[in-house]
Amino acid sequence: MFAINDIPHTRINLLTGEKILVSPHRSKRPWQGQVEDLASDNRPAYDPKCYLCPGNNRADGDHNPQYKAPFVFVNDFSALLKDSGQGEINVSDLLLAETARGICKVIAFSPRHDLTLPEMTVEDLKLVVEVWKGEFQELASHEWIKYIQIFENKGAIMGCSNPHPHGQIWAQNSVPVEVEKEEQRQVEYFDTHGRSLLSAYLEVELQEKVRILIDAEHFVALVPFWASWPYETMIISKRHVQDIRDFSEQECEDLAKVLKELTTKYDNIFETSFPYSAGMHQAPVNSGDQGFWHWHMHFYPPLLRSATVKKFMVGYEMLANPQRDITPEMAAESIRNQSNIHYKERKV
């Protein structure tokens, strides 16, 4: 044993098998670093120039309806196309390529241009969860679809091209690399122990409690033991289910509550609209028995010491493996201590 909050050490990502170097001696209490104020994010409830607002024209000329609930449409500039055909390139087994086929959708979470997930009501967030569930069901009905990725990029520094609250769903004819990594580790554990990897992991985390952020009825939000990003978190379903289609109405509502609480705590850390990339990992579809898969959702935020000081994966991290100074336990304490009331509400 060693002092995990004092000594440089490596941790293993349980879901991928990859290493993370943790150097806690370099920065003991990162949340006490300088906090810089940003210009206020005062967007209007409706922006006539926004291509996601109700009633406006989108980039391709289509006209949005006057929607009152989450609105879904096929991305006007999809990264994957439904009718790509089939083809491949193989030059001496060295230059390899094949066509990719898929369906990319956009979900406007709310008709309000000025809201983000933590500023929406639980009732409205439940509508978002139900749309995710319905879209997953519909996309999975296409037998050629093998994986469905639900995700959100929040904030300009995460590549979000429009501040209107929205997320995406990409459904494709193959399983992505990160999902394949997680699948291999989950299969190995399930075959050896007869239970899901994340069920066993969650049991340990609930016993230790140090990285737990939210312990709700059906879901747990925590900082993973192996987190790479400073304020990385994960939501895990307490019930071992393969994908979002299995969630009951009560579980959908509970997920909405956890999403609101977690993202509110994020915003409160630096009193800013906290950027992140977030997405669900769940079982591939139309691929036989996937009983070893366990639904979970990753949050990867880039902020480090303030609203403007970011973490970059450079140098050693690009050439060797991820490295972090603050430990996941330190980050968990910082997030956990944040209020459940959004900072904007407290300033009213």
Side-chain angles (χ1 to χ4, degrees):
M1 295 292 290
F2 59 91
I4 202 167
N5 285 315
D6 298 320
I7 305 298
H9 59 277
T10 58
R11 302 190 187 193
I12 301 297
N13 185 326
L14 197 66
L15 285 168
T16 67
E18 297 168 346
K19 289 183 179 180
I20 297 91
L21 173 62
V22 184
S23 310
H25 60 292
R26 284 164 44 115
S27 184
K28 283 289 189 174
R29 294 182 64 81
W31 56 89
Q32 291 186 336
Q34 182 178 358
V35 177
E36 303 170 21
D37 292 331
L38 290 179
S40 61
D41 183 24
N42 292 323
R43 301 194 308 276
Y46 167 76
D47 183 346
K49 297 180 180 179
C50 171
Y51 59 81
L52 291 179
C53 278
N56 289 357
N57 288 329
R58 296 206 305 275
D60 70 342
D62 284 348
H63 192 74
N64 294 332
Q66 291 290 347
Y67 63 93
K68 304 296 183 183
F71 169 54
V72 184
F73 60 93
V74 175
N75 197 321
D76 300 326
F77 299 97
S78 295
L80 295 163
L81 301 175
K82 188 175 181 179
D83 301 315
S84 296
Q86 291 184 327
E88 64 179 28
I89 295 172
N90 186 331
V91 179
S92 302
D93 289 335
L94 297 172
L95 309 181
L96 305 173
E98 62 182 9
T99 51
R101 185 184 178 198
I103 301 170
C104 297
K105 293 189 175 184
V106 176
I107 303 174
F109 295 147
S110 168
R112 287 273 299 271
H113 183 76
D114 58 336
L115 299 182
T116 57
L117 293 187
E119 299 171 274
M120 294 169 61
T121 66
V122 170
E123 292 74 19
D124 286 341
L125 282 171
K126 185 184 177 187
L127 293 178
V128 174
V129 174
E130 289 172 344
V131 167
W132 283 336
K133 182 177 179 179
E135 288 296 320
F136 192 102
Q137 177 74 43
E138 191 279 324
L139 289 166
S141 68
H142 302 278
E143 292 188 2
W144 58 273
I145 294 292
K146 301 303 178 185
Y147 192 74
I148 301 168
Q149 182 62 66
I150 299 172
F151 66 100
E152 178 196 6
N153 293 322
K154 182 189 177 196
I157 65 173
M158 298 309 291
C160 183
S161 60
N162 189 318
H164 192 110
H166 72 283
Q168 300 185 56
I169 303 179
W170 292 13
Q172 61 193 88
N173 66 333
S174 61
V175 179
V177 173
E178 292 302 312
V179 179
E180 285 185 330
K181 291 178 188 177
E182 291 195 1
E183 180 167 301
Q184 180 180 351
R185 300 282 291 186
Q186 290 182 89
V187 167
E188 291 171 355
Y189 192 91
F190 191 85
D191 287 348
T192 301
H193 300 279
R195 63 185 303 201
S196 84
L197 174 63
L198 288 182
S199 290
Y201 169 66
L202 192 55
E203 188 175 288
V204 171
E205 288 286 18
L206 288 170
Q207 289 172 352
E208 294 206 347
K209 299 185 185 302
V210 292
R211 288 169 295 274
I212 298 295
L213 305 175
I214 303 165
D215 183 3
E217 184 177 359
H218 299 288
F219 296 89
V220 170
L222 52 77
V223 176
F225 179 77
W226 57 84
S228 297
W229 294 93
Y231 292 100
E232 178 180 335
T233 62
M234 185 164 65
I235 300 174
I236 306 173
S237 62
K238 287 186 174 179
R239 192 163 64 93
H240 174 204
V241 299
Q242 281 67 61
D243 61 58
I244 195 171
R245 290 175 296 184
D246 293 325
F247 289 166
S248 66
E249 183 177 350
Q250 291 73 28
E251 285 170 319
C252 288
E253 182 173 357
D254 201 44
L255 179 56
K257 292 178 181 177
V258 172
L259 286 169
K260 181 173 177 63
E261 183 173 343
L262 177 61
T263 54
T264 295
K265 287 180 178 293
Y266 267 158
D267 278 13
N268 287 341
I269 295 174
F270 299 125
E271 294 196 351
T272 190
S273 185
F274 209 77
Y276 56 73
S277 282
M280 301 176 193
H281 274 166
Q282 41 198 334
V285 297
N286 302 314
S287 301
D289 180 30
Q290 302 287 318
F292 48 86
W293 259 98
H294 192 133
W295 182 97
H296 57 284
M297 186 172 186
H298 296 282
F299 285 78
Y300 299 126
L303 296 187
L304 177 59
R305 295 183 183 276
S306 76
T308 57
V309 177
K310 297 174 283 295
K311 163 73 175 179
F312 294 96
M313 292 290 185
V314 296
Y316 180 87
E317 290 139 326
M318 295 180 72
L319 298 165
N321 54 248
Q323 183 272 338
R324 62 182 293 145
D325 293 345
I326 68 171
T327 66
E329 293 73 29
M330 292 174 181
E333 181 181 3
S334 179
I335 300 171
R336 188 167 51 241
N337 289 341
Q338 300 303 317
S339 172
N340 291 339
I341 302 174
H342 197 272
Y343 73 92
K344 289 183 181 179
E345 293 182 38
R346 299 199 306 269
K347 290 183 176 181
V348 173

